[in-house]
Amino acid sequence: MTEIQIRLIDVADLYYSAYYYEGFDRLSRADSRLGEVALRTNVSLNIPATIKNALQDKNARHLLFAISIYSIRTDSVEYFICIDAHDSNKTAGISDHTEGYHRSLLKVVDRYYKVNFNEDFLKHSDLPLALQQKVRPIAQFAPIKTSAILPFCKRIIFPLNPIRIKPGLSHSKPYSGFWQDVLQRIRRLRKLQSLDQLLKLRYEPKTNDIFFVTSYRPNPRHKAAMELRHSLMELINKKPHLHCTIGFTSHAHIPPQYREMEQPRLSQADYLKAMSRAKIVIYTQGMDGCISSKFLLAMSAGCVMVGDPINNNTDMMAKHTHLKDQFGYSNPSTVVDSAIAILSESSSLERLSRLNLELFDNYLSPTKAAQWILEDLGLVA
């Protein structure tokens, strides 16, 4: 039997890294899925020499919070891969915090898996062809906590400072010390839901017609998105015959023009339960046209989604044609009218809900994403 050792180099925020590690870990506990292959998983703070210089690149370390890095080793070969879950897929402007690729890592890893993969952007970038060929699309993630909690507690005890790796805490938030890093890890382990908790939500009764609750972001780069989302909320609010949950939530001050749509803050557990009870979830893109994590969360719960186009990972759209009935509506009026049309046809609602669940189980789940990586590396058939 072939043994594959999978080691996560723990520099990313758990919000981004846990989903894919959960996939590898679950495969390691179900060897029969991979035939004559046994997986062994672990989490490490030790930085291999092969990638150490890349991680110490001061111009790019602000990107590390959303990039999971792995060593995948057999008796005969070792691969280094990363999974980049950033919103953007831009390849220019390395000083810009929305930069989509960590170029130093791209040069040294064997595969660079990109959540928001856009082939057109990549082809027309200034990246050399040899580097472009390392990039692969990977299914979207959801923020969850892994069932293998103890390995992720190492970072609570041991600081990253001694090895001079200082990943940012979030978009435009630089590393601010060991204690901030520790507190963020503790918050993630305490507040995020597990995959099993997420999957149970598909059995919640669909008692709500439309769900559209989203965070209000005060940053200027979010201004256009906030205006669009507010327009959608106003249109939905004018449909009194529908049972809807809509509004902005925020830790920050919400401007007066949006305040009538303010919703109380929800824990992740409460948010997901409210979302899973909706027949339709309104979908809007994340920043830089990225696929929002709400996409996967709604799919896992069997909710139907209606909203913005999906411009990245176009292979997924091509293979799963039922997505065209749900996405591609840029005009707020068209989004609301399309949602109402689907609500009025129970057969369409049931069909799309079933197909969304199948899409999650057969393509988007953590184990499917992990298995796809092993297949892409040629380690399993």
Side-chain angles (χ1 to χ4, degrees), residues 109-234:
V109 296
D110 298 288
R111 293 285 193 279
Y112 193 108
Y113 295 100
K114 183 68 176 165
V115 169
N116 282 288
F117 176 79
N118 190 303
E119 189 173 16
D120 287 339
F121 285 2
L122 190 62
K123 282 181 177 178
H124 294 93
S125 73
D126 63 345
L127 288 172
L129 182 60
L131 295 185
Q132 290 185 30
Q133 290 173 341
K134 291 183 179 183
V135 182
R136 301 284 195 279
I138 191 72
Q140 175 65 302
F141 74 98
I144 62 171
K145 63 182 174 187
T146 177
S147 52
I149 288 176
L150 285 179
F152 286 92
C153 291
K154 296 176 185 177
R155 192 157 149 183
I156 296 173
I157 302 170
F158 301 105
L160 292 172
N161 290 22
I163 51 175
R164 294 185 293 136
I165 305 301
K166 298 181 178 181
L169 292 179
S170 182
H171 290 286
S172 71
K173 292 183 181 179
Y175 184 83
S176 55
F178 169 58
W179 288 112
Q180 286 298 316
D181 191 68
V182 166
L183 289 173
Q184 179 156 283
R185 177 58 54 93
I186 292 172
R187 281 196 298 268
R188 299 299 194 211
L189 290 172
R190 184 166 59 89
K191 293 184 177 181
L192 292 176
Q193 298 289 284
S194 68
L195 179 62
D196 288 336
Q197 289 170 316
L198 189 66
L199 295 179
K200 286 179 182 177
L201 296 174
R202 59 180 59 184
Y203 303 110
E204 289 286 331
K206 298 285 191 264
T207 55
N208 201 7
D209 289 316
I210 292 178
F211 178 84
F212 185 43
V213 175
T214 184
S215 297
Y216 173 75
R217 306 287 187 187
N219 192 301
R221 75 186 273 254
H222 296 88
K223 185 175 186 293
M226 297 303 104
E227 290 173 352
L228 173 67
R229 294 174 189 183
H230 184 248
S231 297
L232 277 164
M233 291 173 191
E234 286 188 316

Side-chain angles (χ1 to χ4, degrees), residues 48 54 64 108 118 120 123 128 136 150 160 170 176 190 204 219 241 249 263 286 290 297 319 327 331-332 356 377:
L64 292 175
V108 297
N118 190 303
D120 287 339
K123 282 181 177 178
R136 301 284 195 279
L150 285 179
L160 292 172
S170 182
S176 55
R190 184 166 59 89
E204 289 286 331
N219 192 301
H241 64 287
T249 66
Q263 283 271 353
C290 77
L297 293 169
K319 290 175 184 175
F327 303 97
N331 182 283
N356 285 351
L377 293 172

Side-chain angles (χ1 to χ4, degrees), residues 197-209 211 272-281 294-306 322-323 326-327 342-343 346-361 364:
Q197 289 170 316
L198 189 66
L199 295 179
K200 286 179 182 177
L201 296 174
R202 59 180 59 184
Y203 303 110
E204 289 286 331
K206 298 285 191 264
T207 55
N208 201 7
D209 289 316
F211 178 84
L272 292 175
K273 181 167 283 191
M275 181 200 69
S276 67
R277 290 177 173 173
K279 296 170 186 174
I280 289 184
V281 173
K294 293 180 180 66
F295 170 83
L296 187 141
L297 293 169
M299 292 287 157
S300 69
C303 301
V304 178
M305 304 192 79
V306 178
H322 76 284
L323 295 176
Q326 301 172 78
F327 303 97
I342 293 173
L343 282 169
S346 58
S347 60
S348 293
L349 199 63
E350 291 169 7
R351 178 181 68 88
L352 293 173
S353 175
R354 173 177 52 81
L355 290 172
N356 285 351
L357 284 173
E358 290 177 3
L359 173 60
F360 178 86
D361 292 338
L364 296 170

